[in-house]
Amino acid sequence: MTERYVLAIDQGTTSSRAILFDHSGVPRASAQKEHEQSFPKAGWVEHDPLEIWERTVEVVGSACAELGVGPSEIAAVGITNQRETTVVWDRETGEPVYPAIVWQDTRTDRIVTELEEDGGPDRFRASTGLPLSTYFAGPKIRWILDNVSGARERAEAGALAFGTIDSWLLWRLTDGEVHATDVTNASRTLLMDLESLAWDEEICGEIGVPVEMLPQIRSSSEVYAEVAELPGLECVRGVPIAGILGDQQAATFGQACFAPGTAKNTYGTGNFMLLNTGEEAVASEHGLLTTVCYRLGDAPAVYALEGSIAVTGSLVQWLRDNLKVIETASEVEERAREVEDNGGAYIVPAFSGLFAPHWRSDARGVVVGLTRFVNRGHLARAVLEATAYQTREVLEAMDADSEVPLKELRVDGGMVVNELLMQFQADILDVDVVRPEVIETTALGAAYAAGLAVGFWESTEELEANWSEDRRWSPQMDSKDRDRMWRQWNKAVTRTLDWVDDDVR
Protein backbone atom coordinates (compact mmCIF):
# COMPACT_ATOMS: atom_id res chain seq x y z
CA MET A 1 0.00 0.00 0.00
CA THR A 2 1.32 3.46 -0.90
CA GLU A 3 2.49 5.42 2.15
CA ARG A 4 0.56 8.60 2.82
CA TYR A 5 1.61 11.90 4.37
CA VAL A 6 0.26 15.15 5.76
CA LEU A 7 1.63 18.40 4.36
CA ALA A 8 2.26 21.31 6.71
CA ILE A 9 2.64 24.85 5.40
CA ASP A 10 4.64 26.81 7.97
CA GLN A 11 4.57 30.49 7.05
CA GLY A 12 6.89 32.27 9.44
CA THR A 13 8.22 35.76 10.01
CA THR A 14 11.33 35.31 7.88
CA SER A 15 10.52 32.37 5.62
CA SER A 16 7.94 29.92 4.31
CA ARG A 17 8.37 26.17 4.69
CA ALA A 18 6.55 23.07 3.55
CA ILE A 19 7.13 19.76 5.34
CA LEU A 20 5.66 16.33 4.62
CA PHE A 21 5.18 14.22 7.76
CA ASP A 22 4.60 10.47 7.88
CA HIS A 23 2.29 8.69 10.32
CA SER A 24 5.01 8.57 12.98
CA GLY A 25 5.31 12.36 12.92
CA VAL A 26 8.70 12.20 11.22
CA PRO A 27 9.50 14.83 8.56
CA ARG A 28 10.18 13.07 5.28
CA ALA A 29 10.66 15.98 2.88
CA SER A 30 10.88 19.75 3.26
CA ALA A 31 11.60 22.98 1.44
CA GLN A 32 12.14 26.50 2.73
CA LYS A 33 12.52 29.97 1.17
CA GLU A 34 13.08 33.30 2.85
CA HIS A 35 11.09 36.41 2.00
CA GLU A 36 12.14 40.03 2.20
CA GLN A 37 11.92 42.00 5.44
CA SER A 38 11.07 45.66 4.88
CA PHE A 39 11.76 48.39 7.45
CA PRO A 40 10.51 51.62 5.78
CA LYS A 41 10.70 53.68 9.00
CA ALA A 42 11.92 53.24 12.54
CA GLY A 43 9.58 50.79 14.24
CA TRP A 44 7.87 49.76 10.99
CA VAL A 45 8.11 46.16 9.74
CA GLU A 46 6.40 45.03 6.53
CA HIS A 47 6.12 41.98 4.27
CA ASP A 48 4.81 41.61 0.73
CA PRO A 49 1.75 39.31 0.91
CA LEU A 50 2.11 38.37 -2.76
CA GLU A 51 5.74 37.36 -2.23
CA ILE A 52 4.67 35.23 0.74
CA TRP A 53 2.09 33.50 -1.48
CA GLU A 54 4.66 32.94 -4.23
CA ARG A 55 7.15 31.46 -1.75
CA THR A 56 4.41 29.20 -0.36
CA VAL A 57 3.63 27.81 -3.81
CA GLU A 58 7.33 27.24 -4.47
CA VAL A 59 8.06 25.37 -1.24
CA VAL A 60 4.95 23.18 -1.51
CA GLY A 61 5.96 22.17 -5.01
CA SER A 62 9.56 21.53 -3.99
CA ALA A 63 8.67 19.39 -0.96
CA CYS A 64 6.28 17.26 -3.00
CA ALA A 65 8.86 16.88 -5.77
CA GLU A 66 11.53 15.76 -3.30
CA LEU A 67 9.38 12.81 -2.27
CA GLY A 68 7.72 12.37 -5.66
CA VAL A 69 4.18 12.54 -4.27
CA GLY A 70 0.89 13.90 -5.57
CA PRO A 71 -2.69 14.32 -4.34
CA SER A 72 -3.29 10.61 -3.84
CA GLU A 73 -0.42 10.34 -1.33
CA ILE A 74 -1.30 13.46 0.69
CA ALA A 75 -4.09 12.99 3.20
CA ALA A 76 -4.47 16.63 4.26
CA VAL A 77 -2.88 20.08 4.35
CA GLY A 78 -2.36 22.02 7.58
CA ILE A 79 -1.43 25.69 7.89
CA THR A 80 0.51 27.43 10.64
CA ASN A 81 1.50 31.06 10.47
CA GLN A 82 3.16 34.10 11.96
CA ARG A 83 0.38 35.50 14.12
CA GLU A 84 -0.97 39.07 14.33
CA THR A 85 0.62 40.01 10.98
CA THR A 86 -2.15 41.85 9.14
CA VAL A 87 -3.21 41.73 5.49
CA VAL A 88 -6.09 43.66 3.90
CA TRP A 89 -7.00 42.83 0.31
CA ASP A 90 -9.60 43.49 -2.37
CA ARG A 91 -12.14 40.67 -2.52
CA GLU A 92 -12.62 41.08 -6.28
CA THR A 93 -9.03 41.35 -7.49
CA GLY A 94 -7.18 39.61 -4.65
CA GLU A 95 -4.69 42.49 -4.56
CA PRO A 96 -3.49 43.67 -1.12
CA VAL A 97 -4.29 47.33 -0.54
CA TYR A 98 -1.12 47.75 1.52
CA PRO A 99 1.90 45.64 2.53
CA ALA A 100 1.38 43.20 5.39
CA ILE A 101 2.02 44.93 8.72
CA VAL A 102 4.11 42.50 10.76
CA TRP A 103 3.46 41.59 14.39
CA GLN A 104 6.68 43.34 15.46
CA ASP A 105 5.58 46.67 13.95
CA THR A 106 5.01 49.55 16.41
CA ARG A 107 3.48 52.21 14.16
CA THR A 108 0.09 51.86 15.89
CA ASP A 109 1.39 53.28 19.18
CA ARG A 110 -0.67 56.46 18.80
CA ILE A 111 -3.83 54.43 18.15
CA VAL A 112 -3.10 52.32 21.21
CA THR A 113 -2.50 55.42 23.34
CA GLU A 114 -5.78 56.91 22.11
CA LEU A 115 -7.68 53.72 22.98
CA GLU A 116 -6.09 53.62 26.43
CA GLU A 117 -7.55 57.03 27.30
CA ASP A 118 -10.91 55.42 28.03
CA GLY A 119 -10.17 52.45 30.26
CA GLY A 120 -6.39 52.08 30.28
CA PRO A 121 -4.28 49.28 28.80
CA ASP A 122 -6.67 46.60 30.11
CA ARG A 123 -9.73 48.18 28.49
CA PHE A 124 -10.60 45.04 26.49
CA ARG A 125 -8.75 42.39 28.53
CA ALA A 126 -11.84 40.95 30.24
CA SER A 127 -13.30 39.97 26.85
CA THR A 128 -10.20 39.32 24.76
CA GLY A 129 -7.59 38.22 27.32
CA LEU A 130 -5.19 40.78 25.84
CA PRO A 131 -3.83 44.19 26.84
CA LEU A 132 -3.91 47.08 24.41
CA SER A 133 -0.66 46.81 22.45
CA THR A 134 0.81 47.49 19.03
CA TYR A 135 1.42 43.71 18.90
CA PHE A 136 -2.14 42.73 17.97
CA ALA A 137 -3.95 42.85 14.64
CA GLY A 138 -6.93 45.09 15.48
CA PRO A 139 -5.00 48.39 15.68
CA LYS A 140 -3.04 47.42 12.54
CA ILE A 141 -6.31 47.05 10.58
CA ARG A 142 -7.42 50.44 11.89
CA TRP A 143 -4.13 52.01 10.74
CA ILE A 144 -4.53 50.66 7.20
CA LEU A 145 -8.13 51.89 6.99
CA ASP A 146 -7.09 55.32 8.30
CA ASN A 147 -4.09 55.72 5.99
CA VAL A 148 -4.98 54.09 2.66
CA SER A 149 -7.18 56.36 0.58
CA GLY A 150 -10.74 55.06 0.29
CA ALA A 151 -9.99 51.91 2.28
CA ARG A 152 -12.47 52.52 5.10
CA GLU A 153 -15.35 53.17 2.73
CA ARG A 154 -14.53 50.05 0.72
CA ALA A 155 -14.23 47.96 3.90
CA GLU A 156 -17.60 49.15 5.19
CA ALA A 157 -19.14 48.28 1.82
CA GLY A 158 -17.78 44.73 2.09
CA ALA A 159 -15.29 45.15 -0.75
CA LEU A 160 -12.19 44.50 1.39
CA ALA A 161 -11.17 41.44 3.39
CA PHE A 162 -8.90 41.28 6.43
CA GLY A 163 -6.89 38.27 7.42
CA THR A 164 -3.92 37.16 9.41
CA ILE A 165 -1.55 35.14 7.22
CA ASP A 166 -3.50 31.91 7.67
CA SER A 167 -6.63 33.57 6.22
CA TRP A 168 -4.63 35.03 3.34
CA LEU A 169 -3.17 31.61 2.45
CA LEU A 170 -6.51 29.82 2.85
CA TRP A 171 -8.19 32.39 0.59
CA ARG A 172 -5.46 31.93 -2.02
CA LEU A 173 -5.38 28.13 -1.77
CA THR A 174 -9.14 28.04 -2.41
CA ASP A 175 -8.91 30.59 -5.25
CA GLY A 176 -10.90 33.14 -3.24
CA GLU A 177 -13.70 30.80 -2.22
CA VAL A 178 -13.10 30.61 1.54
CA HIS A 179 -12.49 33.57 3.87
CA ALA A 180 -11.95 32.04 7.31
CA THR A 181 -9.56 31.80 10.24
CA ASP A 182 -9.27 29.56 13.27
CA VAL A 183 -9.90 30.42 16.90
CA THR A 184 -6.20 30.65 17.79
CA ASN A 185 -5.47 33.32 15.21
CA ALA A 186 -8.76 35.13 15.88
CA SER A 187 -7.83 35.29 19.56
CA ARG A 188 -4.75 37.40 18.62
CA THR A 189 -6.63 40.22 16.92
CA LEU A 190 -7.96 42.01 20.03
CA LEU A 191 -11.38 41.62 18.39
CA MET A 192 -12.61 38.15 19.51
CA ASP A 193 -14.48 37.36 22.72
CA LEU A 194 -12.71 34.46 24.44
CA GLU A 195 -15.89 32.97 25.89
CA SER A 196 -18.18 33.07 22.84
CA LEU A 197 -15.33 32.55 20.32
CA ALA A 198 -17.05 35.15 18.12
CA TRP A 199 -16.12 38.63 16.95
CA ASP A 200 -17.06 41.21 19.59
CA GLU A 201 -18.90 43.79 17.51
CA GLU A 202 -18.76 46.42 20.26
CA ILE A 203 -14.97 46.17 20.53
CA CYS A 204 -14.67 46.17 16.72
CA GLY A 205 -16.62 49.42 16.67
CA GLU A 206 -14.53 51.02 19.41
CA ILE A 207 -11.26 50.13 17.71
CA GLY A 208 -12.65 51.14 14.31
CA VAL A 209 -12.77 47.84 12.40
CA PRO A 210 -15.86 47.06 10.26
CA VAL A 211 -17.08 43.51 10.99
CA GLU A 212 -17.89 43.16 7.26
CA MET A 213 -14.20 42.63 6.49
CA LEU A 214 -13.53 39.93 9.10
CA PRO A 215 -13.16 36.20 8.29
CA GLN A 216 -15.43 33.47 9.61
CA ILE A 217 -14.05 31.91 12.81
CA ARG A 218 -13.70 28.13 12.65
CA SER A 219 -12.08 25.46 14.82
CA SER A 220 -8.39 24.52 14.52
CA SER A 221 -9.08 21.02 13.18
CA GLU A 222 -11.80 20.54 10.56
CA VAL A 223 -12.06 20.37 6.79
CA TYR A 224 -12.32 23.97 5.59
CA ALA A 225 -12.13 23.29 1.85
CA GLU A 226 -10.05 21.54 -0.80
CA VAL A 227 -7.05 23.04 -2.57
CA ALA A 228 -8.24 24.58 -5.83
CA GLU A 229 -6.76 23.90 -9.26
CA LEU A 230 -3.88 26.38 -9.19
CA PRO A 231 -0.62 26.75 -11.14
CA GLY A 232 2.32 25.23 -9.26
CA LEU A 233 0.10 23.36 -6.81
CA GLU A 234 -0.87 20.37 -8.94
CA CYS A 235 0.64 18.07 -6.29
CA VAL A 236 -2.05 19.05 -3.75
CA ARG A 237 -5.01 19.73 -6.04
CA GLY A 238 -8.21 18.56 -4.33
CA VAL A 239 -6.46 17.73 -1.03
CA PRO A 240 -8.50 18.82 2.02
CA ILE A 241 -7.20 21.81 3.97
CA ALA A 242 -8.04 20.56 7.44
CA GLY A 243 -5.93 22.28 10.10
CA ILE A 244 -5.05 25.86 11.05
CA LEU A 245 -3.12 26.95 14.13
CA GLY A 246 -1.17 30.11 14.92
CA ASP A 247 2.50 29.22 15.07
CA GLN A 248 2.89 29.14 18.84
CA GLN A 249 -0.28 27.17 19.41
CA ALA A 250 0.89 24.80 16.68
CA ALA A 251 4.19 24.28 18.49
CA THR A 252 2.29 23.57 21.71
CA PHE A 253 0.20 21.01 19.83
CA GLY A 254 3.27 19.51 18.19
CA GLN A 255 4.94 19.18 21.61
CA ALA A 256 1.90 17.13 22.73
CA CYS A 257 1.07 19.58 25.53
CA PHE A 258 -2.51 18.34 25.71
CA ALA A 259 -2.84 18.11 29.50
CA PRO A 260 -3.47 21.18 31.68
CA GLY A 261 -0.22 22.26 33.29
CA THR A 262 2.05 21.23 30.40
CA ALA A 263 4.11 23.94 28.71
CA LYS A 264 6.56 24.58 25.91
CA ASN A 265 8.88 27.40 24.85
CA THR A 266 9.60 28.11 21.19
CA TYR A 267 12.86 29.84 20.23
CA GLY A 268 12.37 31.56 16.89
CA THR A 269 12.36 35.17 15.69
CA GLY A 270 10.90 35.82 19.14
CA ASN A 271 10.26 33.49 22.06
CA PHE A 272 6.83 32.25 23.05
CA MET A 273 5.99 30.18 26.10
CA LEU A 274 2.53 28.61 26.36
CA LEU A 275 0.99 26.83 29.33
CA ASN A 276 -2.10 24.69 28.72
CA THR A 277 -4.82 25.71 31.22
CA GLY A 278 -7.50 23.32 29.95
CA GLU A 279 -11.05 24.43 29.18
CA GLU A 280 -10.74 27.42 31.50
CA ALA A 281 -9.54 30.82 30.27
CA VAL A 282 -7.30 31.89 33.16
CA ALA A 283 -6.89 35.64 33.62
CA SER A 284 -3.27 36.64 34.16
CA GLU A 285 -2.25 38.96 36.98
CA HIS A 286 1.42 38.99 36.02
CA GLY A 287 1.64 40.34 32.48
CA LEU A 288 0.82 37.21 30.48
CA LEU A 289 -1.77 36.81 27.72
CA THR A 290 -4.86 34.64 27.93
CA THR A 291 -5.33 32.99 24.56
CA VAL A 292 -6.96 30.04 22.82
CA CYS A 293 -4.59 27.07 22.69
CA TYR A 294 -6.65 25.02 20.19
CA ARG A 295 -10.12 23.73 19.40
CA LEU A 296 -10.70 20.34 17.81
CA GLY A 297 -13.88 20.29 15.74
CA ASP A 298 -16.97 20.84 17.90
CA ALA A 299 -15.18 20.06 21.18
CA PRO A 300 -14.80 22.84 23.76
CA ALA A 301 -11.89 25.18 23.24
CA VAL A 302 -8.68 24.62 25.20
CA TYR A 303 -7.02 27.77 26.55
CA ALA A 304 -3.48 28.80 27.45
CA LEU A 305 -1.46 31.41 29.24
CA GLU A 306 1.22 32.85 26.98
CA GLY A 307 4.37 34.82 27.52
CA SER A 308 5.42 36.59 24.31
CA ILE A 309 8.95 37.91 23.80
CA ALA A 310 9.50 40.03 20.70
CA VAL A 311 13.22 39.67 20.03
CA THR A 312 15.36 36.55 20.50
CA GLY A 313 16.43 34.87 17.24
CA SER A 314 16.10 38.22 15.47
CA LEU A 315 18.74 39.57 17.89
CA VAL A 316 21.18 37.07 16.38
CA GLN A 317 20.19 38.39 12.94
CA TRP A 318 20.86 41.93 14.16
CA LEU A 319 24.32 40.89 15.35
CA ARG A 320 24.91 39.37 11.89
CA ASP A 321 23.27 41.87 9.55
CA ASN A 322 23.56 45.20 11.35
CA LEU A 323 26.77 44.87 13.37
CA LYS A 324 28.56 42.32 11.12
CA VAL A 325 30.00 40.62 14.22
CA ILE A 326 29.20 37.21 12.74
CA GLU A 327 28.75 36.03 9.15
CA THR A 328 26.11 33.35 9.76
CA ALA A 329 23.54 32.88 12.52
CA SER A 330 25.07 29.53 13.52
CA GLU A 331 28.42 31.25 14.11
CA VAL A 332 27.07 32.98 17.24
CA GLU A 333 27.71 29.91 19.40
CA GLU A 334 31.29 29.61 18.19
CA ARG A 335 31.97 33.27 18.99
CA ALA A 336 30.27 33.00 22.39
CA ARG A 337 32.48 30.03 23.28
CA GLU A 338 35.59 32.18 22.75
CA VAL A 339 34.98 33.68 26.21
CA GLU A 340 34.06 32.29 29.62
CA ASP A 341 31.27 34.75 30.41
CA ASN A 342 29.63 37.95 29.14
CA GLY A 343 32.43 40.21 30.40
CA GLY A 344 29.88 42.26 32.31
CA ALA A 345 27.89 43.18 29.18
CA TYR A 346 24.11 42.78 28.98
CA ILE A 347 21.92 43.38 25.93
CA VAL A 348 18.21 44.06 26.40
CA PRO A 349 16.71 43.91 22.87
CA ALA A 350 13.64 46.11 23.33
CA PHE A 351 13.58 46.92 19.60
CA SER A 352 9.77 46.83 19.57
CA GLY A 353 9.37 47.81 23.21
CA LEU A 354 9.16 45.16 25.90
CA PHE A 355 6.54 42.43 25.56
CA ALA A 356 5.62 40.03 28.39
CA PRO A 357 5.61 40.50 31.26
CA HIS A 358 6.33 44.24 31.08
CA TRP A 359 4.23 45.51 28.12
CA ARG A 360 6.17 48.75 27.79
CA SER A 361 5.96 50.20 24.29
CA ASP A 362 8.11 53.15 25.44
CA ALA A 363 11.16 50.90 25.96
CA ARG A 364 14.04 50.64 23.49
CA GLY A 365 17.05 48.37 23.33
CA VAL A 366 20.23 48.92 25.33
CA VAL A 367 23.72 47.50 25.69
CA VAL A 368 25.01 48.09 29.22
CA GLY A 369 28.11 47.24 31.22
CA LEU A 370 30.53 48.05 28.42
CA THR A 371 34.24 48.40 29.18
CA ARG A 372 37.34 48.20 26.99
CA PHE A 373 37.55 44.54 28.04
CA VAL A 374 34.39 43.59 26.12
CA ASN A 375 34.99 41.97 22.71
CA ARG A 376 32.89 40.26 20.04
CA GLY A 377 32.77 37.03 22.02
CA HIS A 378 31.26 38.81 25.00
CA LEU A 379 28.66 40.47 22.75
CA ALA A 380 27.80 37.12 21.16
CA ARG A 381 27.35 35.57 24.59
CA ALA A 382 25.25 38.54 25.76
CA VAL A 383 23.00 38.06 22.73
CA LEU A 384 22.37 34.41 23.65
CA GLU A 385 21.95 35.16 27.33
CA ALA A 386 19.31 37.82 26.56
CA THR A 387 17.06 35.05 25.24
CA ALA A 388 17.48 33.04 28.43
CA TYR A 389 16.90 35.99 30.76
CA GLN A 390 13.72 37.04 28.95
CA THR A 391 12.50 33.44 29.17
CA ARG A 392 13.04 33.46 32.94
CA GLU A 393 10.95 36.65 33.22
CA VAL A 394 8.07 34.88 31.50
CA LEU A 395 8.48 31.63 33.43
CA GLU A 396 8.38 33.46 36.76
CA ALA A 397 5.16 35.20 35.70
CA MET A 398 3.71 31.87 34.59
CA ASP A 399 4.61 30.23 37.90
CA ALA A 400 2.94 33.10 39.77
CA ASP A 401 -0.26 32.89 37.69
CA SER A 402 -0.56 29.10 37.75
CA GLU A 403 0.80 28.62 41.30
CA VAL A 404 2.33 25.39 39.96
CA PRO A 405 6.10 25.79 39.35
CA LEU A 406 7.27 23.98 36.24
CA LYS A 407 9.64 21.08 36.84
CA GLU A 408 10.99 21.02 33.28
CA LEU A 409 10.64 23.08 30.12
CA ARG A 410 10.04 21.53 26.69
CA VAL A 411 11.77 23.57 24.01
CA ASP A 412 11.66 23.78 20.22
CA GLY A 413 12.46 26.12 17.34
CA GLY A 414 15.57 27.00 15.43
CA MET A 415 17.68 28.21 18.36
CA VAL A 416 17.45 24.97 20.36
CA VAL A 417 20.32 23.48 18.33
CA ASN A 418 22.53 25.99 20.19
CA GLU A 419 23.78 23.87 23.06
CA LEU A 420 25.52 26.75 24.85
CA LEU A 421 22.20 28.60 24.98
CA MET A 422 20.28 25.54 26.16
CA GLN A 423 22.73 24.91 29.02
CA PHE A 424 22.60 28.56 30.08
CA GLN A 425 18.80 28.43 29.89
CA ALA A 426 18.74 25.50 32.31
CA ASP A 427 21.26 27.29 34.55
CA ILE A 428 19.39 30.59 34.79
CA LEU A 429 15.98 28.89 35.22
CA ASP A 430 17.25 26.24 37.63
CA VAL A 431 15.05 23.63 35.91
CA ASP A 432 15.71 20.95 33.30
CA VAL A 433 15.39 21.95 29.64
CA VAL A 434 14.21 19.16 27.32
CA ARG A 435 14.50 19.06 23.51
CA PRO A 436 12.36 16.58 21.53
CA GLU A 437 13.68 14.45 18.67
CA VAL A 438 11.53 16.39 16.17
CA ILE A 439 12.24 20.08 16.74
CA GLU A 440 10.03 21.24 13.84
CA THR A 441 7.11 21.17 16.24
CA THR A 442 5.32 24.19 14.74
CA ALA A 443 4.86 22.48 11.38
CA LEU A 444 4.21 19.18 13.13
CA GLY A 445 1.37 20.73 15.15
CA ALA A 446 -0.32 21.98 11.98
CA ALA A 447 0.07 18.54 10.43
CA TYR A 448 -1.40 16.90 13.53
CA ALA A 449 -4.44 19.21 13.50
CA ALA A 450 -5.09 18.50 9.83
CA GLY A 451 -4.48 14.76 10.17
CA LEU A 452 -6.88 14.43 13.10
CA ALA A 453 -9.66 16.09 11.09
CA VAL A 454 -9.42 13.50 8.28
CA GLY A 455 -8.72 10.45 10.43
CA PHE A 456 -5.03 10.11 9.51
CA TRP A 457 -4.47 10.09 13.27
CA GLU A 458 -7.26 8.88 15.53
CA SER A 459 -6.63 10.70 18.80
CA THR A 460 -4.35 13.01 20.75
CA GLU A 461 -3.19 9.92 22.70
CA GLU A 462 -1.76 8.60 19.44
CA LEU A 463 0.09 11.90 18.97
CA GLU A 464 1.49 11.79 22.51
CA ALA A 465 2.97 8.38 21.71
CA ASN A 466 4.93 9.98 18.86
CA TRP A 467 6.75 12.43 21.19
CA SER A 468 10.23 11.40 22.32
CA GLU A 469 13.09 13.13 24.10
CA ASP A 470 16.33 13.88 22.26
CA ARG A 471 18.44 15.83 24.79
CA ARG A 472 18.11 17.12 28.35
CA TRP A 473 20.10 19.90 30.03
CA SER A 474 20.19 20.11 33.83
CA PRO A 475 21.28 23.16 35.88
CA GLN A 476 24.99 23.36 36.69
CA MET A 477 25.38 26.99 37.80
CA ASP A 478 26.15 27.99 41.37
CA SER A 479 23.15 29.72 42.96
CA LYS A 480 25.22 32.80 43.91
CA ASP A 481 26.27 33.31 40.29
CA ARG A 482 22.68 32.79 39.14
CA ASP A 483 21.37 35.38 41.58
CA ARG A 484 24.09 37.91 40.70
CA MET A 485 23.51 37.65 36.96
CA TRP A 486 19.74 37.83 37.37
CA ARG A 487 20.12 40.97 39.50
CA GLN A 488 22.30 42.59 36.83
CA TRP A 489 19.82 41.69 34.09
CA ASN A 490 16.95 43.33 35.96
CA LYS A 491 19.05 46.43 36.44
CA ALA A 492 19.71 46.49 32.69
CA VAL A 493 15.98 46.22 31.93
CA THR A 494 15.29 49.39 33.92
CA ARG A 495 17.66 51.29 31.60
CA THR A 496 15.35 50.62 28.60
CA LEU A 497 12.26 52.31 30.04
CA ASP A 498 10.76 55.74 29.26
CA TRP A 499 12.92 56.14 26.16
CA VAL A 500 10.19 56.88 23.59
CA ASP A 501 8.23 60.10 23.92
CA ASP A 502 6.02 62.04 21.52
CA ASP A 503 9.00 63.79 19.94
CA VAL A 504 10.55 60.54 18.69
CA ARG A 505 7.46 58.48 17.81
Side-chain angles (χ1 to χ4, degrees):
M1 187 173 67
T2 302
E3 187 169 6
R4 302 187 78 204
Y5 309 91
V6 175
L7 173 70
I9 296 171
D10 181 359
Q11 204 299 299
T13 306
T14 59
S15 67
S16 299
R17 292 185 297 174
I19 303 179
L20 284 159
F21 291 94
D22 65 18
H23 195 267
S24 298
V26 175
R28 297 291 297 277
S30 66
Q32 178 173 356
K33 287 203 171 184
E34 291 190 359
H35 57 264
E36 185 176 353
Q37 309 291 304
S38 179
F39 309 96
K41 294 183 181 181
W44 291 31
V45 189
E46 295 177 353
H47 294 159
D48 179 353
L50 293 175
E51 182 189 13
I52 284 175
W53 169 242
E54 290 166 2
R55 295 290 181 268
T56 300
V57 172
E58 291 170 5
V59 296
V60 168
S62 296
C64 290
E66 180 182 338
L67 215 54
V69 297
S72 62
E73 290 88 24
I74 301 174
V77 174
I79 299 171
T80 182
N81 57 289
Q82 50 169 318
R83 303 171 304 172
E84 297 94 16
T85 296
T86 297
V87 186
V88 175
W89 67 92
D90 186 291
R91 291 185 187 273
E92 187 68 28
T93 66
E95 289 293 317
V97 304
Y98 192 82
I101 300 181
V102 179
W103 57 275
Q104 301 159 311
D105 190 287
T106 61
R107 76 183 69 189
T108 58
D109 52 0
R110 290 184 185 275
I111 293 173
V112 168
T113 300
E114 172 196 319
L115 292 169
E116 287 177 348
E117 291 175 359
D118 184 13
D122 290 334
R123 177 176 175 179
F124 305 127
R125 188 188 280 269
S127 294
T128 66
L130 310 174
L132 277 165
S133 170
T134 60
Y135 181 25
F136 305 113
K140 300 180 196 299
I141 305 169
R142 156 87 175 272
W143 189 95
I144 292 174
L145 299 185
D146 287 350
N147 289 275
V148 175
S149 178
R152 180 166 296 281
E153 293 77 11
R154 293 165 65 196
E156 291 172 349
L160 299 184
F162 151 76
T164 40
I165 295 294
D166 61 301
S167 296
W168 169 245
L169 294 182
L170 179 62
W171 192 85
R172 282 276 171 175
L173 286 165
T174 60
D175 201 19
E177 290 298 315
V178 180
H179 182 213
T181 188
D182 91 301
V183 287
T184 67
N185 281 288
S187 73
R188 313 298 295 193
T189 60
L190 206 63
L191 304 174
M192 190 194 83
D193 180 82
L194 278 179
E195 184 176 346
S196 67
L197 305 179
W199 300 120
D200 188 312
E201 295 193 15
E202 184 177 343
I203 292 177
C204 290
E206 292 180 35
I207 292 180
V209 175
V211 293
E212 293 84 359
M213 67 189 306
L214 302 179
Q216 180 187 14
I217 300 175
R218 308 272 287 270
S219 82
S220 310
S221 178
E222 62 176 271
V223 176
Y224 312 104
E226 294 180 351
V227 178
E229 187 171 344
L230 297 166
L233 292 176
E234 293 80 6
C235 62
V236 288
R237 184 177 63 230
V239 174
I241 306 165
I244 296 176
L245 286 162
D247 53 9
Q248 302 314 316
Q249 286 90 340
T252 308
F253 209 75
Q255 283 272 39
C257 294
F258 303 128
T262 53
K264 69 85 200 179
N265 196 34
T266 296
Y267 296 71
T269 301
N271 265 35
F272 302 87
M273 189 184 299
L274 268 73
L275 173 72
N276 184 325
T277 62
E279 295 176 13
E280 179 186 3
V282 176
S284 174
E285 297 179 359
H286 298 88
L288 302 179
L289 308 178
T290 304
T291 193
V292 180
C293 194
Y294 58 86
R295 187 185 187 193
L296 304 180
D298 295 329
V302 173
Y303 295 90
L305 284 171
E306 175 176 335
S308 307
I309 303 168
V311 179
T312 54
S314 55
L315 183 60
V316 177
Q317 293 176 325
W318 173 80
L319 193 72
R320 178 193 67 189
D321 299 338
N322 293 48
L323 299 193
K324 312 296 185 184
V325 172
I326 54 177
E327 293 185 1
T328 64
S330 60
E331 188 184 333
V332 68
E333 182 172 9
E334 178 185 346
R335 293 288 161 255
R337 289 188 182 278
E338 293 175 348
V339 294
E340 294 184 358
D341 55 35
N342 62 17
Y346 292 78
I347 299 176
V348 185
F351 297 159
S352 301
L354 290 173
F355 281 23
H358 308 281
W359 297 108
R360 292 289 296 263
S361 61
D362 62 311
R364 286 297 178 268
V366 298
V367 184
V368 298
L370 290 179
T371 63
R372 283 291 300 272
F373 175 67
V374 172
N375 60 34
R376 67 177 184 176
H378 297 118
L379 290 178
R381 186 173 281 262
V383 161
L384 295 180
E385 291 181 355
T387 293
Y389 289 125
Q390 291 179 98
T391 297
R392 176 168 168 175
E393 290 180 330
V394 167
L395 183 58
E396 289 192 348
M398 202 162 276
D399 286 348
D401 274 332
S402 68
E403 298 181 348
V404 181
L406 288 179
K407 300 302 182 185
E408 65 178 30
L409 182 64
R410 290 187 177 185
V411 299
D412 55 69
M415 294 182 79
V416 301
V417 299
N418 190 310
E419 300 198 353
L420 179 65
L421 170 60
M422 292 297 99
Q423 182 59 59
F424 187 78
Q425 185 70 89
D427 287 339
I428 207 67
L429 293 180
D430 198 24
V431 299
D432 282 8
V433 169
V434 184
R435 183 176 69 194
E437 283 193 1
V438 177
I439 64 172
E440 301 294 352
T441 55
T442 302
L444 181 59
Y448 279 164
L452 283 172
V454 299
F456 188 78
W457 290 287
E458 296 297 329
S459 66
T460 54
E461 289 77 16
E462 189 177 1
L463 306 183
E464 284 184 278
N466 280 346
W467 192 93
S468 57
E469 179 180 319
D470 171 55
R471 177 77 190 273
R472 178 180 293 262
W473 290 266
S474 298
Q476 298 177 357
M477 183 179 287
D478 181 82
S479 61
K480 290 183 180 180
D481 289 336
R482 180 184 302 113
D483 292 345
R484 173 183 55 80
M485 298 176 78
W486 182 237
R487 190 169 58 249
Q488 290 292 100
W489 166 261
N490 282 292
K491 187 188 298 184
V493 170
T494 65
R495 305 302 196 262
T496 71
L497 305 178
D498 297 314
W499 185 259
V500 177
D501 56 35
D502 286 338
D503 293 334
V504 295
R505 285 186 189 274

